[in-house]
Amino acid sequence: MNYCSHCGSSALSHKMPPGDNRLRIVCGDCGKVHYENPRIITGCLPLWDGKVLLCRRAIEPMLGFWNVPGGFLENGERVEDGAAREVREEARASVKILGVHTIFTLTGFHHVYVHFLGELVDGRFGVGEESSECRLFAEEEIPWEDMAFQSSIFTLKKYFEDRKEGAQRAHLGAW
Ligand SMILES: [Zn+2]
């Protein structure tokens, strides 16, 4: 941030506001405190016929790598609706959200991933604009070496572990 979004001043510096316990970006002219907090990435692992649907990224970062469909939550959007929207956009598929599966904090990048499990409504899917390929994978077919993000690896591992135990629960992870 180079300019204050409140008054346009360039007199920004890191200061600890009264009563706070962290340095914040504070405008030296209007006094506005610009808080910076983690962003939420919402996604869904779509299930169908014993397989999971993954998308190959057609965009940076990690272009060409496989991923659980997901993206930034929009303002005013429920996190579960955002997950279903991302599946629609990236895989041209409709999912019924089954429940929260993983919450994964990427501490260094200030991102929090919320991944749901979902079931494809009719088994149909395509390839969205941000994907170069979408396909269903059985557990033994997962391209573990070509996964884009730790959050997706965590989500897949926990899904297959749970399935072996016949369990469905939410998992916390971090990297
Ligand atoms: Zn200002």
PDB file of all heavy atoms in Angstrom, residues 115-142:
ATOM      1  N   HIS A 115     -12.075 -26.084   2.753  1.00  0.00           N
ATOM      2  CA  HIS A 115     -12.466 -27.041   1.714  1.00  0.00           C
ATOM      3  C   HIS A 115     -13.654 -27.869   2.182  1.00  0.00           C
ATOM      4  O   HIS A 115     -13.643 -28.425   3.281  1.00  0.00           O
ATOM      5  CB  HIS A 115     -11.306 -27.986   1.379  1.00  0.00           C
ATOM      6  CG  HIS A 115     -10.297 -27.382   0.446  1.00  0.00           C
ATOM      7  ND1 HIS A 115      -9.056 -27.930   0.245  1.00  0.00           N
ATOM      8  CD2 HIS A 115     -10.354 -26.294  -0.363  1.00  0.00           C
ATOM      9  CE1 HIS A 115      -8.388 -27.189  -0.646  1.00  0.00           C
ATOM     10  NE2 HIS A 115      -9.153 -26.189  -1.005  1.00  0.00           N
ATOM     11  N   PHE A 116     -14.645 -27.961   1.345  1.00  0.00           N
ATOM     12  CA  PHE A 116     -15.822 -28.779   1.603  1.00  0.00           C
ATOM     13  C   PHE A 116     -15.727 -30.068   0.800  1.00  0.00           C
ATOM     14  O   PHE A 116     -14.963 -30.149  -0.174  1.00  0.00           O
ATOM     15  CB  PHE A 116     -17.091 -28.040   1.163  1.00  0.00           C
ATOM     16  CG  PHE A 116     -17.371 -26.797   1.953  1.00  0.00           C
ATOM     17  CD1 PHE A 116     -16.758 -25.585   1.631  1.00  0.00           C
ATOM     18  CD2 PHE A 116     -18.233 -26.832   3.033  1.00  0.00           C
ATOM     19  CE1 PHE A 116     -17.007 -24.431   2.366  1.00  0.00           C
ATOM     20  CE2 PHE A 116     -18.490 -25.689   3.774  1.00  0.00           C
ATOM     21  CZ  PHE A 116     -17.875 -24.488   3.447  1.00  0.00           C
ATOM     22  N   LEU A 117     -16.515 -31.063   1.211  1.00  0.00           N
ATOM     23  CA  LEU A 117     -16.765 -32.206   0.329  1.00  0.00           C
ATOM     24  C   LEU A 117     -18.091 -31.944  -0.363  1.00  0.00           C
ATOM     25  O   LEU A 117     -19.007 -31.375   0.231  1.00  0.00           O
ATOM     26  CB  LEU A 117     -16.860 -33.513   1.123  1.00  0.00           C
ATOM     27  CG  LEU A 117     -15.583 -34.016   1.792  1.00  0.00           C
ATOM     28  CD1 LEU A 117     -15.864 -35.328   2.511  1.00  0.00           C
ATOM     29  CD2 LEU A 117     -14.442 -34.158   0.798  1.00  0.00           C
ATOM     30  N   GLY A 118     -18.167 -32.330  -1.621  1.00  0.00           N
ATOM     31  CA  GLY A 118     -19.413 -32.147  -2.358  1.00  0.00           C
ATOM     32  C   GLY A 118     -19.616 -33.316  -3.298  1.00  0.00           C
ATOM     33  O   GLY A 118     -18.670 -34.019  -3.647  1.00  0.00           O
ATOM     34  N   GLU A 119     -20.882 -33.530  -3.663  1.00  0.00           N
ATOM     35  CA  GLU A 119     -21.163 -34.611  -4.609  1.00  0.00           C
ATOM     36  C   GLU A 119     -21.625 -33.995  -5.920  1.00  0.00           C
ATOM     37  O   GLU A 119     -22.465 -33.091  -5.922  1.00  0.00           O
ATOM     38  CB  GLU A 119     -22.258 -35.512  -4.043  1.00  0.00           C
ATOM     39  CG  GLU A 119     -22.474 -36.727  -4.904  1.00  0.00           C
ATOM     40  CD  GLU A 119     -23.247 -37.801  -4.147  1.00  0.00           C
ATOM     41  OE1 GLU A 119     -24.072 -37.430  -3.293  1.00  0.00           O
ATOM     42  OE2 GLU A 119     -23.010 -38.977  -4.430  1.00  0.00           O
ATOM     43  N   LEU A 120     -21.042 -34.442  -7.024  1.00  0.00           N
ATOM     44  CA  LEU A 120     -21.512 -33.955  -8.326  1.00  0.00           C
ATOM     45  C   LEU A 120     -22.993 -34.295  -8.453  1.00  0.00           C
ATOM     46  O   LEU A 120     -23.413 -35.405  -8.112  1.00  0.00           O
ATOM     47  CB  LEU A 120     -20.717 -34.600  -9.463  1.00  0.00           C
ATOM     48  CG  LEU A 120     -19.263 -34.139  -9.633  1.00  0.00           C
ATOM     49  CD1 LEU A 120     -18.631 -34.876 -10.815  1.00  0.00           C
ATOM     50  CD2 LEU A 120     -19.169 -32.634  -9.825  1.00  0.00           C
ATOM     51  N   VAL A 121     -23.770 -33.348  -8.932  1.00  0.00           N
ATOM     52  CA  VAL A 121     -25.215 -33.538  -8.979  1.00  0.00           C
ATOM     53  C   VAL A 121     -25.605 -34.599 -10.009  1.00  0.00           C
ATOM     54  O   VAL A 121     -26.452 -35.445  -9.753  1.00  0.00           O
ATOM     55  CB  VAL A 121     -25.911 -32.184  -9.255  1.00  0.00           C
ATOM     56  CG1 VAL A 121     -27.385 -32.388  -9.582  1.00  0.00           C
ATOM     57  CG2 VAL A 121     -25.751 -31.272  -8.032  1.00  0.00           C
ATOM     58  N   ASP A 122     -24.971 -34.579 -11.159  1.00  0.00           N
ATOM     59  CA  ASP A 122     -25.345 -35.543 -12.192  1.00  0.00           C
ATOM     60  C   ASP A 122     -24.117 -36.199 -12.855  1.00  0.00           C
ATOM     61  O   ASP A 122     -24.240 -36.850 -13.886  1.00  0.00           O
ATOM     62  CB  ASP A 122     -26.197 -34.856 -13.267  1.00  0.00           C
ATOM     63  CG  ASP A 122     -25.520 -33.597 -13.784  1.00  0.00           C
ATOM     64  OD1 ASP A 122     -24.309 -33.420 -13.524  1.00  0.00           O
ATOM     65  OD2 ASP A 122     -26.194 -32.781 -14.443  1.00  0.00           O
ATOM     66  N   GLY A 123     -22.959 -35.992 -12.248  1.00  0.00           N
ATOM     67  CA  GLY A 123     -21.752 -36.630 -12.787  1.00  0.00           C
ATOM     68  C   GLY A 123     -21.144 -35.903 -13.974  1.00  0.00           C
ATOM     69  O   GLY A 123     -20.093 -36.287 -14.467  1.00  0.00           O
ATOM     70  N   ARG A 124     -21.817 -34.830 -14.402  1.00  0.00           N
ATOM     71  CA  ARG A 124     -21.296 -34.132 -15.584  1.00  0.00           C
ATOM     72  C   ARG A 124     -20.373 -32.992 -15.197  1.00  0.00           C
ATOM     73  O   ARG A 124     -20.577 -32.333 -14.179  1.00  0.00           O
ATOM     74  CB  ARG A 124     -22.455 -33.586 -16.420  1.00  0.00           C
ATOM     75  CG  ARG A 124     -23.187 -34.701 -17.147  1.00  0.00           C
ATOM     76  CD  ARG A 124     -24.144 -34.138 -18.174  1.00  0.00           C
ATOM     77  NE  ARG A 124     -25.144 -33.264 -17.529  1.00  0.00           N
ATOM     78  CZ  ARG A 124     -26.080 -32.600 -18.198  1.00  0.00           C
ATOM     79  NH1 ARG A 124     -26.155 -32.685 -19.502  1.00  0.00           N
ATOM     80  NH2 ARG A 124     -26.942 -31.846 -17.557  1.00  0.00           N
ATOM     81  N   PHE A 125     -19.364 -32.775 -15.993  1.00  0.00           N
ATOM     82  CA  PHE A 125     -18.473 -31.638 -15.778  1.00  0.00           C
ATOM     83  C   PHE A 125     -17.817 -31.293 -17.108  1.00  0.00           C
ATOM     84  O   PHE A 125     -17.895 -32.048 -18.069  1.00  0.00           O
ATOM     85  CB  PHE A 125     -17.415 -31.947 -14.710  1.00  0.00           C
ATOM     86  CG  PHE A 125     -16.547 -33.134 -15.019  1.00  0.00           C
ATOM     87  CD1 PHE A 125     -15.351 -32.963 -15.705  1.00  0.00           C
ATOM     88  CD2 PHE A 125     -16.922 -34.416 -14.639  1.00  0.00           C
ATOM     89  CE1 PHE A 125     -14.541 -34.054 -16.009  1.00  0.00           C
ATOM     90  CE2 PHE A 125     -16.128 -35.510 -14.947  1.00  0.00           C
ATOM     91  CZ  PHE A 125     -14.936 -35.334 -15.623  1.00  0.00           C
ATOM     92  N   GLY A 126     -17.190 -30.123 -17.144  1.00  0.00           N
ATOM     93  CA  GLY A 126     -16.492 -29.682 -18.353  1.00  0.00           C
ATOM     94  C   GLY A 126     -15.143 -29.129 -17.961  1.00  0.00           C
ATOM     95  O   GLY A 126     -14.514 -29.621 -17.018  1.00  0.00           O
ATOM     96  N   VAL A 127     -14.714 -28.113 -18.656  1.00  0.00           N
ATOM     97  CA  VAL A 127     -13.434 -27.475 -18.355  1.00  0.00           C
ATOM     98  C   VAL A 127     -13.665 -25.964 -18.315  1.00  0.00           C
ATOM     99  O   VAL A 127     -14.036 -25.372 -19.329  1.00  0.00           O
ATOM    100  CB  VAL A 127     -12.365 -27.814 -19.423  1.00  0.00           C
ATOM    101  CG1 VAL A 127     -11.046 -27.156 -19.083  1.00  0.00           C
ATOM    102  CG2 VAL A 127     -12.193 -29.323 -19.536  1.00  0.00           C
ATOM    103  N   GLY A 128     -13.498 -25.380 -17.144  1.00  0.00           N
ATOM    104  CA  GLY A 128     -13.724 -23.941 -16.997  1.00  0.00           C
ATOM    105  C   GLY A 128     -12.579 -23.118 -17.555  1.00  0.00           C
ATOM    106  O   GLY A 128     -11.533 -23.653 -17.942  1.00  0.00           O
ATOM    107  N   GLU A 129     -12.789 -21.796 -17.561  1.00  0.00           N
ATOM    108  CA  GLU A 129     -11.817 -20.896 -18.171  1.00  0.00           C
ATOM    109  C   GLU A 129     -10.435 -20.929 -17.514  1.00  0.00           C
ATOM    110  O   GLU A 129      -9.423 -20.730 -18.184  1.00  0.00           O
ATOM    111  CB  GLU A 129     -12.338 -19.463 -18.111  1.00  0.00           C
ATOM    112  CG  GLU A 129     -12.860 -18.979 -19.451  1.00  0.00           C
ATOM    113  CD  GLU A 129     -13.583 -17.653 -19.324  1.00  0.00           C
ATOM    114  OE1 GLU A 129     -13.089 -16.798 -18.559  1.00  0.00           O
ATOM    115  OE2 GLU A 129     -14.612 -17.498 -19.986  1.00  0.00           O
ATOM    116  N   GLU A 130     -10.412 -21.156 -16.200  1.00  0.00           N
ATOM    117  CA  GLU A 130      -9.129 -21.122 -15.500  1.00  0.00           C
ATOM    118  C   GLU A 130      -8.485 -22.497 -15.431  1.00  0.00           C
ATOM    119  O   GLU A 130      -7.478 -22.681 -14.752  1.00  0.00           O
ATOM    120  CB  GLU A 130      -9.320 -20.539 -14.090  1.00  0.00           C
ATOM    121  CG  GLU A 130      -9.774 -19.081 -14.144  1.00  0.00           C
ATOM    122  CD  GLU A 130      -9.975 -18.456 -12.776  1.00  0.00           C
ATOM    123  OE1 GLU A 130      -9.906 -19.180 -11.766  1.00  0.00           O
ATOM    124  OE2 GLU A 130     -10.200 -17.240 -12.730  1.00  0.00           O
ATOM    125  N   SER A 131      -9.081 -23.466 -16.140  1.00  0.00           N
ATOM    126  CA  SER A 131      -8.564 -24.839 -16.144  1.00  0.00           C
ATOM    127  C   SER A 131      -8.170 -25.234 -17.561  1.00  0.00           C
ATOM    128  O   SER A 131      -8.761 -24.777 -18.535  1.00  0.00           O
ATOM    129  CB  SER A 131      -9.630 -25.820 -15.639  1.00  0.00           C
ATOM    130  OG  SER A 131     -10.155 -25.400 -14.399  1.00  0.00           O
ATOM    131  N   SER A 132      -7.153 -26.111 -17.645  1.00  0.00           N
ATOM    132  CA  SER A 132      -6.799 -26.642 -18.958  1.00  0.00           C
ATOM    133  C   SER A 132      -7.337 -28.054 -19.118  1.00  0.00           C
ATOM    134  O   SER A 132      -7.397 -28.584 -20.224  1.00  0.00           O
ATOM    135  CB  SER A 132      -5.278 -26.633 -19.149  1.00  0.00           C
ATOM    136  OG  SER A 132      -4.653 -27.399 -18.158  1.00  0.00           O
ATOM    137  N   GLU A 133      -7.736 -28.669 -18.006  1.00  0.00           N
ATOM    138  CA  GLU A 133      -8.204 -30.054 -18.028  1.00  0.00           C
ATOM    139  C   GLU A 133      -8.902 -30.321 -16.700  1.00  0.00           C
ATOM    140  O   GLU A 133      -8.464 -29.816 -15.659  1.00  0.00           O
ATOM    141  CB  GLU A 133      -6.971 -30.974 -18.166  1.00  0.00           C
ATOM    142  CG  GLU A 133      -7.267 -32.424 -18.403  1.00  0.00           C
ATOM    143  CD  GLU A 133      -5.985 -33.270 -18.524  1.00  0.00           C
ATOM    144  OE1 GLU A 133      -4.869 -32.692 -18.549  1.00  0.00           O
ATOM    145  OE2 GLU A 133      -6.095 -34.502 -18.573  1.00  0.00           O
ATOM    146  N   CYS A 134      -9.971 -31.081 -16.717  1.00  0.00           N
ATOM    147  CA  CYS A 134     -10.620 -31.528 -15.480  1.00  0.00           C
ATOM    148  C   CYS A 134     -10.894 -33.009 -15.638  1.00  0.00           C
ATOM    149  O   CYS A 134     -11.310 -33.438 -16.716  1.00  0.00           O
ATOM    150  CB  CYS A 134     -11.945 -30.797 -15.235  1.00  0.00           C
ATOM    151  SG  CYS A 134     -11.770 -29.019 -15.041  1.00  0.00           S
ATOM    152  N   ARG A 135     -10.625 -33.773 -14.587  1.00  0.00           N
ATOM    153  CA  ARG A 135     -10.930 -35.211 -14.702  1.00  0.00           C
ATOM    154  C   ARG A 135     -11.119 -35.849 -13.338  1.00  0.00           C
ATOM    155  O   ARG A 135     -10.679 -35.314 -12.317  1.00  0.00           O
ATOM    156  CB  ARG A 135      -9.866 -35.967 -15.507  1.00  0.00           C
ATOM    157  CG  ARG A 135      -8.474 -35.935 -14.936  1.00  0.00           C
ATOM    158  CD  ARG A 135      -7.591 -37.003 -15.556  1.00  0.00           C
ATOM    159  NE  ARG A 135      -7.839 -38.312 -14.922  1.00  0.00           N
ATOM    160  CZ  ARG A 135      -6.978 -39.326 -14.936  1.00  0.00           C
ATOM    161  NH1 ARG A 135      -5.826 -39.207 -15.580  1.00  0.00           N
ATOM    162  NH2 ARG A 135      -7.237 -40.459 -14.322  1.00  0.00           N
ATOM    163  N   LEU A 136     -11.789 -36.990 -13.369  1.00  0.00           N
ATOM    164  CA  LEU A 136     -12.014 -37.760 -12.148  1.00  0.00           C
ATOM    165  C   LEU A 136     -10.832 -38.701 -11.926  1.00  0.00           C
ATOM    166  O   LEU A 136     -10.345 -39.332 -12.866  1.00  0.00           O
ATOM    167  CB  LEU A 136     -13.300 -38.580 -12.277  1.00  0.00           C
ATOM    168  CG  LEU A 136     -14.602 -37.772 -12.280  1.00  0.00           C
ATOM    169  CD1 LEU A 136     -15.762 -38.627 -12.759  1.00  0.00           C
ATOM    170  CD2 LEU A 136     -14.894 -37.224 -10.872  1.00  0.00           C
ATOM    171  N   PHE A 137     -10.388 -38.769 -10.667  1.00  0.00           N
ATOM    172  CA  PHE A 137      -9.262 -39.627 -10.304  1.00  0.00           C
ATOM    173  C   PHE A 137      -9.683 -40.629  -9.238  1.00  0.00           C
ATOM    174  O   PHE A 137     -10.293 -40.261  -8.230  1.00  0.00           O
ATOM    175  CB  PHE A 137      -8.119 -38.793  -9.697  1.00  0.00           C
ATOM    176  CG  PHE A 137      -7.401 -37.904 -10.671  1.00  0.00           C
ATOM    177  CD1 PHE A 137      -7.838 -36.610 -10.897  1.00  0.00           C
ATOM    178  CD2 PHE A 137      -6.277 -38.361 -11.345  1.00  0.00           C
ATOM    179  CE1 PHE A 137      -7.168 -35.779 -11.777  1.00  0.00           C
ATOM    180  CE2 PHE A 137      -5.593 -37.535 -12.235  1.00  0.00           C
ATOM    181  CZ  PHE A 137      -6.039 -36.243 -12.450  1.00  0.00           C
ATOM    182  N   ALA A 138      -9.310 -41.890  -9.423  1.00  0.00           N
ATOM    183  CA  ALA A 138      -9.378 -42.861  -8.336  1.00  0.00           C
ATOM    184  C   ALA A 138      -8.169 -42.599  -7.438  1.00  0.00           C
ATOM    185  O   ALA A 138      -7.204 -41.943  -7.854  1.00  0.00           O
ATOM    186  CB  ALA A 138      -9.333 -44.278  -8.890  1.00  0.00           C
ATOM    187  N   GLU A 139      -8.214 -43.132  -6.219  1.00  0.00           N
ATOM    188  CA  GLU A 139      -7.138 -42.841  -5.257  1.00  0.00           C
ATOM    189  C   GLU A 139      -5.760 -43.166  -5.833  1.00  0.00           C
ATOM    190  O   GLU A 139      -4.814 -42.387  -5.703  1.00  0.00           O
ATOM    191  CB  GLU A 139      -7.353 -43.629  -3.959  1.00  0.00           C
ATOM    192  CG  GLU A 139      -6.277 -43.325  -2.925  1.00  0.00           C
ATOM    193  CD  GLU A 139      -6.526 -43.997  -1.576  1.00  0.00           C
ATOM    194  OE1 GLU A 139      -7.492 -44.782  -1.453  1.00  0.00           O
ATOM    195  OE2 GLU A 139      -5.745 -43.720  -0.639  1.00  0.00           O
ATOM    196  N   GLU A 140      -5.642 -44.307  -6.501  1.00  0.00           N
ATOM    197  CA  GLU A 140      -4.326 -44.723  -7.008  1.00  0.00           C
ATOM    198  C   GLU A 140      -3.878 -43.925  -8.234  1.00  0.00           C
ATOM    199  O   GLU A 140      -2.750 -44.074  -8.693  1.00  0.00           O
ATOM    200  CB  GLU A 140      -4.319 -46.233  -7.305  1.00  0.00           C
ATOM    201  CG  GLU A 140      -5.285 -46.693  -8.365  1.00  0.00           C
ATOM    202  CD  GLU A 140      -6.710 -46.955  -7.842  1.00  0.00           C
ATOM    203  OE1 GLU A 140      -7.015 -46.552  -6.701  1.00  0.00           O
ATOM    204  OE2 GLU A 140      -7.515 -47.554  -8.588  1.00  0.00           O
ATOM    205  N   GLU A 141      -4.749 -43.084  -8.744  1.00  0.00           N
ATOM    206  CA  GLU A 141      -4.402 -42.279  -9.928  1.00  0.00           C
ATOM    207  C   GLU A 141      -4.016 -40.841  -9.583  1.00  0.00           C
ATOM    208  O   GLU A 141      -3.649 -40.063 -10.465  1.00  0.00           O
ATOM    209  CB  GLU A 141      -5.603 -42.211 -10.882  1.00  0.00           C
ATOM    210  CG  GLU A 141      -6.057 -43.550 -11.417  1.00  0.00           C
ATOM    211  CD  GLU A 141      -7.393 -43.444 -12.147  1.00  0.00           C
ATOM    212  OE1 GLU A 141      -8.218 -42.574 -11.793  1.00  0.00           O
ATOM    213  OE2 GLU A 141      -7.603 -44.239 -13.074  1.00  0.00           O
ATOM    214  N   ILE A 142      -4.126 -40.456  -8.319  1.00  0.00           N
ATOM    215  CA  ILE A 142      -3.875 -39.053  -7.932  1.00  0.00           C
ATOM    216  C   ILE A 142      -2.440 -38.653  -8.299  1.00  0.00           C
ATOM    217  O   ILE A 142      -1.488 -39.343  -7.932  1.00  0.00           O
ATOM    218  CB  ILE A 142      -4.065 -38.864  -6.404  1.00  0.00           C
ATOM    219  CG1 ILE A 142      -5.493 -39.213  -5.977  1.00  0.00           C
ATOM    220  CG2 ILE A 142      -3.691 -37.431  -5.972  1.00  0.00           C
ATOM    221  CD1 ILE A 142      -6.538 -38.230  -6.374  1.00  0.00           C
TER     222      ILE A 142
END
